[in-house]
Amino acid sequence: MNKWVSLAGGLLGGYGLLKAPLDGSFLNGLNPLVDGVGLIAVLVFSGALIYTGVRDWFQK
């Protein structure tokens, strides 16, 4: 169960990075980098959730 919570937290963190309002702040120049990291995090953690779900489904 702990693995599922960690993966869901990573997915939520990636989504948070995608929706971070950086316009008008001193971090405005890092907006493409933050969006890229957020997109990669969402893809990796959602893929890991799908993989572990399918793997656990076939193990039972």
Side-chain angles (χ1 to χ4, degrees):
M1 182 67 181
N2 194 14
K3 181 178 14 176
W4 290 90
V5 174
S6 297
L7 291 174
L11 184 63
L12 186 64
Y15 183 74
L17 283 175
L18 283 175
K19 297 296 181 180
L22 298 179
D23 296 334
S25 69
F26 68 96
L27 296 173
N28 191 23
L30 295 177
N31 199 14
L33 179 67
V34 170
D35 285 343
V37 170
L39 182 64
I40 290 170
V42 166
L43 289 174
V44 166
F45 284 108
S46 62
L49 269 172
I50 291 169
Y51 173 73
T52 56
V54 170
R55 189 187 64 196
D56 290 346
W57 187 33
F58 282 120
Q59 283 182 352
K60 291 185 179 187

